[in-house]
Amino acid sequence: AITAGGSCCLVSEVLYSGFFGRFSVVLRMAQSAIQDPFYVVKEEVLSSFNSAKQLYMRWKDLYDSGNIHDNHEFDWTQGELVNQIRNIEWDLEDLEESVQIAETNRARYRLDAQELQSRRYFVTSTRQSIQDMRRAVMDPAVKQKKEMLQRDALLASTATMQEKDKYEKARRAVEEDNERFVENSQAQQQVLIQQQDADLTQLEETLGRLGEIGIAIKDEAELHNQLLTETNDEADKVQGRLDSAMKEIKKTIESAKS
């Protein structure tokens, strides 16, 4: 039979012996397991318990961080931890059954009261630790906290979306105002351009008429100048004839006096 002290000796042999020594230890443990399965199951429970404890510490760190409402690692860790706790509880049931079997056959397994008490304590203390983990993980406060954080995140997201919508509406309003201003400015510019075109057309027509009037005035002035020139020429001729006539009259008067 394997006692607690015998188990420590076997572990020491596994750690420090060579290949053949390890093979011998494995063989002896297998033989002992046939007689007393407690330590085989205990090693499995200890290994699973240490793994679950590490998962629990990680779960607690994530929980204390407050970021659990949208954290895939937290969800995975919690689910994996629950699975491991369930498996350990099943192993503890097997382990407790092995204790009961050994207790009914103490003579066969050569177990004293202290060894039985040690085995019961291991099962009880391990189950208590596992139950503590389960209560912490399955505590309704965890679900409530997660739902509260999800609700707060949803409200914050909704508020953010509303703020974005408000900003977007304000931006669209500004853009629409700018578009209307541009359209109005373009319309006003188009009206001004059309008015300027009309004014330029009218000015062009006025200038055309003024040009025609100027040409007519020029022609009229040239005609007047020609008439004045002809009148002056005619006046000079008349003056010449008058001068000649006056001379003739003067000679006639002088001849008459003499």
Side-chain angles (χ1 to χ4, degrees):
I2 300 177
T3 63
S7 176
C8 293
C9 292
L10 290 179
V11 173
S12 298
E13 287 182 43
V14 171
L15 293 174
Y16 299 107
S17 62
F19 173 80
F20 294 103
R22 290 196 298 272
F23 178 80
S24 176
V25 170
V26 172
L27 180 60
R28 287 166 58 192
M29 290 182 65
Q31 292 173 346
S32 298
I34 296 174
Q35 298 175 355
D36 187 353
F38 178 82
Y39 287 103
V40 175
V41 180
K42 179 181 179 181
E43 290 299 323
E44 294 177 357
V45 170
L46 283 174
S47 176
S48 299
F49 177 77
N50 290 331
S51 176
K53 188 175 181 180
Q54 291 179 357
L55 275 176
Y56 175 74
M57 293 175 63
R58 179 55 182 164
W59 175 88
K60 194 171 185 307
D61 289 340
L62 293 171
Y63 179 79
D64 292 339
S65 70
N67 182 22
I68 64 174
H69 62 286
D70 189 20
N71 191 325
H72 297 297
E73 183 184 1
F74 178 82
D75 294 338
W76 179 89
T77 303
Q78 182 168 343
E80 185 67 18
L81 182 56
V82 170
N83 291 334
Q84 289 196 16
I85 289 175
R86 183 170 57 249
N87 292 334
I88 293 173
E89 288 174 339
W90 291 341
D91 290 340
L92 286 174
E93 291 178 359
D94 295 338
L95 198 59
E96 187 173 30
E97 183 179 355
S98 73
V99 172
Q100 294 173 355
I101 293 173
E103 187 175 12
T104 59
N105 296 276
R106 292 176 61 180
R108 177 184 176 185
Y109 296 106
R110 300 177 184 178
L111 298 176
D112 54 19
Q114 184 178 0
E115 175 64 18
L116 284 174
Q117 182 63 28
S118 174
R119 294 187 182 193
R120 292 193 197 98
Y121 176 77
F122 175 80
V123 174
T124 302
S125 61
T126 304
R127 179 177 284 126
Q128 183 62 45
S129 298
I130 289 299
Q131 289 176 350
D132 291 342
M133 290 185 191
R134 176 182 285 277
R135 278 193 295 269
V137 174
M138 303 304 294
D139 189 347
V142 175
K143 184 178 179 180
Q144 291 174 1
K145 181 178 180 180
K146 186 173 182 179
E147 291 176 349
M148 181 186 68
L149 292 173
Q150 288 175 338
R151 184 170 59 254
D152 292 343
L154 180 60
L155 291 174
S157 177
T158 302
T160 301
M161 291 299 297
Q162 291 176 348
E163 188 66 23
K164 288 183 178 178
D165 291 341
K166 181 179 179 181
Y167 170 78
E168 184 65 20
K169 289 179 180 178
R171 186 184 64 82
R172 285 199 299 267
V174 171
E175 288 182 351
E176 291 174 356
D177 290 341
N178 290 337
E179 290 176 357
R180 284 194 294 269
F181 175 77
V182 171
E183 291 175 356
N184 293 334
S185 298
Q186 290 177 344
Q188 291 176 359
Q189 290 177 354
Q190 187 66 28
V191 171
L192 290 175
I193 291 173
Q194 293 176 353
Q195 185 63 40
Q196 289 175 353
D197 290 342
D199 293 341
L200 289 174
T201 300
Q202 184 177 2
L203 178 61
E204 183 179 0
E205 293 175 354
T206 301
L207 290 176
R209 288 194 297 270
L210 290 175
E212 293 175 356
I213 293 173
I215 293 173
I217 292 174
K218 178 183 177 183
D219 294 340
E220 186 69 21
E222 289 179 350
L223 178 60
H224 288 174
N225 289 333
Q226 183 178 359
L227 291 174
L228 288 173
T229 300
E230 291 178 354
T231 300
N232 290 333
D233 291 342
E234 187 65 27
D236 290 340
K237 290 179 180 179
V238 171
Q239 185 65 37
R241 286 196 294 271
L242 286 173
D243 290 340
S244 297
M246 289 299 294
K247 289 178 179 181
E248 289 295 331
I249 292 171
K250 186 179 180 180
K251 287 180 180 181
T252 303
I253 292 173
E254 287 179 355
S255 297
K257 286 180 180 182
S258 58

